[in-house]
Amino acid sequence: MIKNGRASGVVLANGDEIYADVVSSSVDPRLTYTRMIEPGNLPDDFLEGVNRYKFRGSSGKVNMALDGLPNFKCMPGVGAHLRGAMSISPSVEYMEKAYDEAKYGHWSSHPYIDMVIPTLTDTSLAPPGKHILSCFVQYAPYKLAPGLDWDTEKEKFGDNVVNTIAEYAPNIKDIILHRQVVTPLDLEREWGLSEGNIFQGELSLEQLFFLRPVAGWAQFRSPIKNLYMCGSATHPGGGIMGAPGRLAALEILKDGGA
Amino acid sequence: MSETRDVIIVGGGHNGLVAAFYLAKAGFKPLVLERRAHVGGAAITEEFHPGFRCSTLAHNAGPLRADIVRDMQLEKHGLKFTTPDVNTVSLTPDGRALILYSDTKKAAQEIAQWSQKDAASYSDFGAALGKIGKVIGEALLLTPPNIDSPDRGDLWGMLKTGRSIRRLGKKDMYRVLRWGPMAAADLVAEFFDTEPLRATIAARGIFGTFLGPWSAGSALVLMLRAAGDPSPAGSVQFPAGGAGAITQAMAAAAKQVGAEIRTGAEIAEIRVKDGVATGVVLASGEEIAARAVVSNADPKRTLMRLVDPAHLTPDFVQKIKNYRCTGTVAKINLALSALPEFTALNAKGNGNLLRGRIQISPEIDYLERAFDESKYGNFSRSPYIEITIPSLSDPSLAPAGEHVMSVYMQYAPYKLKDGNWDSQREMLGEAVVKTISQYAPNFPQTILSGQIITPKDLEETYGLTGGHIFHGELALDQFFTMRPLLDWARYQTPVERLYLCGNGTHPGTGLTGGSGANAAREIAKTLRK
Ligand SMILES: Cc1cc2nc3c(=O)[nH]c(=O)nc-3n(C[C@H](O)[C@H](O)[C@H](O)COP(=O)(O)OP(=O)(O)OC[C@H]3O[C@@H](n4cnc5c(N)ncnc54)[C@H](O)[C@@H]3O)c2cc1C
Ligand SMILES: Cc1cc2nc3c(=O)[nH]c(=O)nc-3n(C[C@H](O)[C@H](O)[C@H](O)COP(=O)(O)OP(=O)(O)OC[C@H]3O[C@@H](n4cnc5c(N)ncnc54)[C@H](O)[C@@H]3O)c2cc1C
């Protein structure tokens, strides 16, 4: 809700209105400025900057419930190596080729996979003897080539991740109890991450520091008084570190809290 | 051993000649020593088939910095440029051609046939490039500041540039900051929808570099090249007599003010004693002592081959080793019995449209795929190609009725994964001919003879280490205060009285004369102290 160029509160989807002195958005600028605010409240050149802000999600996630532990060919058996991060990134060329496919709108046939088995450090996450394998997968471009869509590609993408891991840990297929595939489209629909970008917008040089999210608007304020930004789309950007939230809070306090 | 000379310049490329001119004007007595039979470096015209002459390497100027053309009175020394009406014809596989006229209004009219919106954006883009390019152009004139302890001149220069950036106004100021690290593909997409237009302009950002249009920093290359030349696709200027006419005029200008030039004089070693350059030894064994040595050869050649690395610290040697200097461009020069007939242009009357640049850069993805192949050590089977037919503007370059065609192709990586350039040379030529034939079916029948210059040839015959046409990659980390290396961007080297003046120094943006002129100013200042 905006009155006389000032944010005065929010309206929930159920129609409830909540008034507030300060509104601070932890979601990305596209959602904040083009979905939650009536058109006409923002200057054109600012909106131009918002519309230009790049998301281009490029990763997916595959979570698996396992009936045992994967047995890697290169390091057979159970050991400390399973407790940390395991990465399928055998060469720079491998990763670059994975990227090449994504540039033209295809998920990588030989993806970069970053895996962890959190149940080895926190047994409470699964029933006794069972495990979880959490796989971060790149590349999975949000925008697929013409004729492809994520809802039909989703399980094929998941199969390919399993097949890739199987090349390194052949027993993986026998121990999967359940599999959850999260595509960039799912990240957008379910988790509110536009275009499935995990950092609420690309962390490229032209979108960092005093240019994040929009040149001239990197100090957590917005053209609307009392409306602030505090999520990963603000400086210093994405990642689980809390820095944007803290810096935003400091700026809000500096402004007197309203 | 002969008398001690004043200043020796190693190499008579255009930057060596520009430096010689300004040093002579400043009262020094430069002696230019060029290893090849004629001066010019990468800016030369040679006969490659009886009766056919061509700009062997560069076929278009950067363009030259206007103040240098003026100071050296190059026109008086015989240099004459023609600017064709048609700047660029960009061909597409569906048999169309996007025609960009040199005149912006006329260009916009043509673009309107593809998109009204793009026609309007075209002049906006040109205007933005012009404004921003002017400010960048100011920085290109500067000697990069000394970062550890900037002197008053440095501070003044930075202040002036800072002020100019602020004076751009908010919108363009943010553009300067935002555009540099961007991908050229993103930059052009902010202005245009028409794919061949996007790709044709973005190609400026990949020209001569190991970058694709989607690589971060390709927009910087585009902006640097726009600094002296805001025409969106890059201007086209043909010197009568080819690129060699530029350096011939420069040599005449330098001689007139007292510089001496010797060709066929290859330097085998730059002599260093107690950390100070004392002269050179020629391949013939002749030794020439000098008060100072200025090298127009690239930084790697100068500091790793001509100077004995024993005179450098291991740390410095490591850094210069890491200087990125592997090229991606090959050049093919062809003698033609007749003009090729481009399908897209037939209906429009071929001849006049072919006077500018003819580009095969139909879409961003096409360029990116060409780049992809080179990353893994293969030359592009469907390359980015830039063609000129200089005999249309200067008929003296070929026998009557016949023509020369000058073709750049990208990407031809210096380091091949399989085989070597001697075994792949012919295949490269075939790939280029085949690609052009797709747009001009009669093309193969018009070819009388050809010269294929691979990156290896650029290195061995023309002295460009790694075959890099710019004496080192133009990239954010090798630019301005970091060209060629951080701490050594002020034309000096760790060897006292040894200086650099070639394209591997700031600004290093090609055939502009900028590096040579900046270097001469700095060298004159330090030698006078
Ligand atoms: C698959 C994946 C893997 C990652 N891996 C790592 C990692 O290994 N290391 C790391 O540091 N970072 C990682 N990240 C990034 C990191 O998790 C995020 O950058 C960070 O969590 C974002 O925090 P945030 O508070 O800025 O925004 P978010 O966590 O996106 O929070 C925004 C919240 O706003 C809610 N919201 C959206 N719209 C509305 C609305 N209209 N009304 C009410 N609420 C709304 C959303 O539901 C969400 O809860 C990963 C992210 C993903 C997706
Ligand atoms: C195929 C090609 C196309 C190009 N196209 C363009 C273009 O369209 N636009 C543009 O702006 N630029 C273009 N360039 C780049 C531009 O031509 C060069 O960057 C520029 O000419 C370099 O000038 P320079 O004087 O610094 O060095 P060079 O021209 O390389 O001159 C160095 C000189 O030093 C000599 N030398 C080297 N070692 C020794 C030694 N040991 N002893 C004596 N002499 C030595 C060499 O023989 C040479 O003459 C192109 C280059 C190439 C190769």
Side-chain angles (χ1 to χ4, degrees):
Chain A
M1 281 188 290
I2 293 158
K3 252 193 215 124
N4 306 327
R6 283 170 171 268
S8 56
V10 296
V11 189
L12 303 191
N14 67 7
D16 285 0
E17 296 188 359
I18 306 177
Y19 291 88
D21 292 336
V22 170
V23 177
S24 182
S25 170
S26 84
V27 305
D28 66 58
R30 179 182 293 176
L31 293 176
T32 308
Y33 297 117
T34 69
R35 304 287 148 79
M36 299 183 188
I37 290 173
E38 292 273 329
N41 285 300
L42 292 161
D44 286 347
D45 61 338
F46 177 77
L47 274 179
E48 206 179 288
V50 169
N51 289 331
R52 202 163 44 212
Y53 184 74
K54 292 188 282 280
F55 293 95
R56 296 185 187 153
S58 59
S59 26
K61 185 95 203 281
V62 178
N63 300 317
M64 293 177 226
L66 301 183
D67 199 17
L69 286 167
N71 194 14
F72 286 94
K73 281 197 263 186
C74 61
M75 252 185 159
V78 179
H81 64 286
L82 297 180
R83 297 169 73 92
M86 292 159 282
S87 175
I88 299 183
S89 48
S91 68
V92 170
E93 183 168 319
Y94 177 96
M95 301 218 275
E96 189 72 21
K97 286 196 165 144
Y99 172 53
D100 284 351
E101 290 177 278
K103 288 192 295 194
Y104 311 108
H106 300 274
W107 42 264
S108 312
S109 52
H110 298 279
Y112 156 54
I113 305 177
D114 182 41
M115 300 172 277
V116 291
I117 307 176
T119 37
L120 283 174
T121 39
D122 178 356
T123 47
S124 75
L125 291 170
K130 317 279 182 205
H131 287 283
I132 287 170
L133 179 63
S134 163
C135 307
F136 179 82
V137 186
Q138 243 170 279
Y139 293 82
Y142 173 78
K143 198 166 167 256
L144 289 171
L148 301 178
D149 69 82
W150 268 115
D151 290 330
T152 38
E153 291 298 306
K154 180 170 174 152
E155 294 307 323
K156 290 187 229 168
F157 170 72
D159 290 345
N160 184 58
V161 169
V162 172
N163 289 336
T164 305
I165 299 173
E167 285 173 34
Y168 299 83
N171 73 329
I172 186 81
K173 289 186 185 172
D174 305 328
I175 56 174
I176 299 176
L177 298 170
H178 180 75
R179 181 176 89 186
Q180 175 192 31
V181 180
V182 179
T183 70
L185 188 61
D186 297 327
L187 288 175
E188 176 174 79
R189 286 190 297 216
E190 275 293 309
W191 286 277
L193 293 164
S194 294
E195 293 187 22
N197 186 298
I198 69 164
F199 295 132
Q200 293 191 1
E202 282 225 272
L203 291 178
S204 49
L205 268 175
E206 75 275 14
Q207 301 196 156
L208 283 182
F209 204 42
F210 54 86
L211 299 172
R212 192 169 185 90
V214 174
W217 296 101
Q219 293 179 318
F220 308 95
R221 294 172 186 82
S222 75
I224 295 168
K225 260 201 115 187
N226 300 346
L227 173 62
Y228 296 83
M229 297 273 285
C230 67
S232 296
T234 58
H235 174 74
I240 305 178
M241 56 178 167
R246 175 169 186 274
L247 293 173
L250 293 176
E251 291 300 317
I252 295 170
L253 291 172
K254 219 198 271 176
D255 288 353
Chain B
M1 196 149 142
S2 51
E3 57 178 318
T4 297
R5 305 294 301 230
D6 191 27
V7 178
I8 283 177
I9 298 183
V10 181
H14 85 290
N15 277 316
L17 297 170
V18 169
F21 170 84
Y22 283 106
L23 285 171
K25 283 273 277 197
F28 297 92
K29 290 250 155 300
L31 166 65
V32 177
L33 299 172
E34 165 59 45
R35 61 184 265 279
R36 297 194 73 223
H38 47 254
V39 295
I44 43 175
T45 307
E46 291 168 315
E47 188 175 67
F48 65 100
H49 183 67
F52 291 82
R53 289 185 307 135
C54 184
S55 299
T56 314
L57 302 174
H59 60 206
N60 190 21
L64 294 177
R65 233 167 70 181
D67 58 320
I68 296 174
V69 176
R70 211 167 38 235
D71 290 348
M72 295 181 84
Q73 297 185 295
L74 294 182
E75 277 158 21
K76 215 186 89 198
H77 290 287
L79 184 62
K80 195 168 160 287
F81 280 108
T82 44
T83 302
D85 262 4
V86 175
N87 173 282
T88 305
V89 166
S90 177
L91 303 165
T92 66
D94 60 357
R96 294 181 74 186
L98 171 75
I99 298 165
L100 297 176
Y101 288 92
S102 299
D103 178 66
T104 311
K105 273 217 185 84
K106 217 169 153 198
Q109 279 167 16
E110 273 289 323
I111 295 168
Q113 298 183 15
W114 297 71
S115 152
Q116 287 287 348
K117 179 185 154 270
D118 285 4
S121 305
Y122 190 74
S123 17
D124 289 352
F125 183 66
L129 274 190
K131 270 175 83 180
I132 292 171
K134 206 167 147 249
V135 172
I136 298 176
E138 285 177 29
L140 299 190
L141 295 174
L142 297 175
T143 296
N146 184 331
I147 301 208
D148 288 339
S149 48
D151 64 22
R152 276 174 58 192
D154 291 343
L155 291 174
W156 176 240
M158 284 191 278
L159 193 71
K160 248 178 71 187
T161 309
R163 277 211 203 122
S164 306
I165 292 180
R166 288 194 148 259
R167 262 203 305 272
L168 278 173
K170 235 182 178 172
K171 186 165 181 158
D172 287 317
M173 178 172 89
Y174 286 138
R175 279 177 165 165
V176 176
L177 300 174
R178 227 165 38 78
W179 286 1
M182 264 169 58
D186 277 328
L187 176 57
V188 292
E190 287 187 8
F191 287 85
F192 308 112
D193 296 333
T194 307
E195 197 57 34
L197 182 59
R198 284 183 175 181
T200 299
I201 294 175
R204 263 184 117 182
I206 59 171
F207 179 73
T209 71
F210 217 132
L211 298 173
W214 280 115
S215 304
S218 47
L220 174 81
V221 177
L222 198 160
M223 280 163 66
L224 288 179
R225 301 198 51 90
D229 182 10
S231 148
S235 63
V236 184
Q237 282 189 319
F238 293 119
I246 299 175
T247 43
Q248 286 304 319
M250 286 177 167
K255 277 190 210 155
Q256 197 184 42
V257 291
E260 202 181 317
I261 298 173
R262 259 176 73 184
T263 53
E266 171 156 11
I267 282 150
E269 190 190 336
I270 295 170
R271 273 283 153 88
V272 180
K273 204 173 158 210
D274 303 326
V276 183
T278 57
V280 297
V281 185
L282 301 192
S284 64
E286 184 187 348
E287 295 191 25
I288 309 177
R291 245 181 96 209
V293 179
V294 178
S295 176
N296 178 203
D298 61 75
K300 274 202 159 153
R301 179 164 306 250
T302 306
L303 294 161
M304 290 176 63
R305 285 182 46 185
L306 300 181
V307 169
D308 182 345
H311 300 296
L312 304 166
T313 63
D315 177 55
F316 184 87
V317 171
Q318 191 58 38
K319 283 183 183 148
I320 198 79
K321 261 194 192 151
N322 289 337
Y323 177 70
R324 289 179 296 128
C325 189
T326 50
T328 54
V329 174
K331 181 78 200 291
I332 289 116
N333 301 317
L334 299 164
L336 304 183
S337 60
L339 285 177
E341 287 165 22
F342 290 92
T343 317
L345 305 178
N346 281 344
K348 305 186 183 193
N350 224 328
N352 252 345
L353 293 173
L354 299 181
R355 283 171 181 265
R357 181 166 44 213
I358 305 157
Q359 240 172 262
I360 300 182
S361 51
E363 47 182 34
I364 295 281
D365 279 0
Y366 176 96
L367 299 176
E368 186 72 18
R369 285 182 202 274
F371 171 57
D372 284 348
E373 290 185 87
S374 74
K375 289 189 299 192
Y376 310 110
N378 303 310
F379 68 79
S380 315
R381 267 35 187 195
S382 295
Y384 159 52
I385 286 179
E386 183 185 312
I387 302 168
T388 60
I389 308 178
S391 48
L392 281 169
S393 322
D394 178 359
S396 77
L397 294 171
E402 304 189 301
H403 288 281
V404 286
M405 184 189 257
S406 164
V407 184
Y408 291 159
M409 85 74 90
Q410 217 170 312
Y411 297 78
Y414 173 74
K415 282 191 198 130
L416 286 172
K417 187 172 186 178
D418 302 310
N420 59 46
W421 272 117
D422 285 330
S423 64
Q424 302 234 348
R425 177 182 287 109
E426 293 304 319
M427 269 158 27
L428 175 88
E430 280 161 25
V432 168
V433 171
K434 197 169 141 211
T435 304
I436 299 175
S437 310
Q438 286 162 11
Y439 302 84
N442 81 327
F443 175 57
Q445 287 92 59
T446 64
I447 301 174
L448 298 171
S449 160
Q451 173 186 33
I452 302 167
I453 301 169
T454 70
K456 197 85 185 139
D457 302 322
L458 289 177
E459 177 170 78
E460 286 171 1
T461 311
Y462 304 96
L464 297 161
T465 302
H468 204 295
I469 71 164
F470 294 132
H471 288 197
E473 190 73 1
L474 267 184
L476 275 174
D477 61 333
Q478 295 194 161
F479 174 64
F480 198 44
T481 53
M482 293 180 268
R483 191 166 188 86
L485 296 179
L486 190 62
D487 281 349
W488 297 107
R490 296 161 67 81
Y491 312 97
Q492 309 194 14
T493 70
V495 176
E496 230 178 283
R497 291 183 179 267
L498 171 63
Y499 304 89
L500 296 174
C501 74
N503 210 64
T505 62
H506 175 75
T509 46
L511 199 41
T512 67
S515 298
N518 284 5
R521 180 184 60 215
E522 205 56 34
I523 294 164
K525 210 160 65 184
T526 49
L527 282 180
R528 273 208 203 97
K529 271 182 193 160

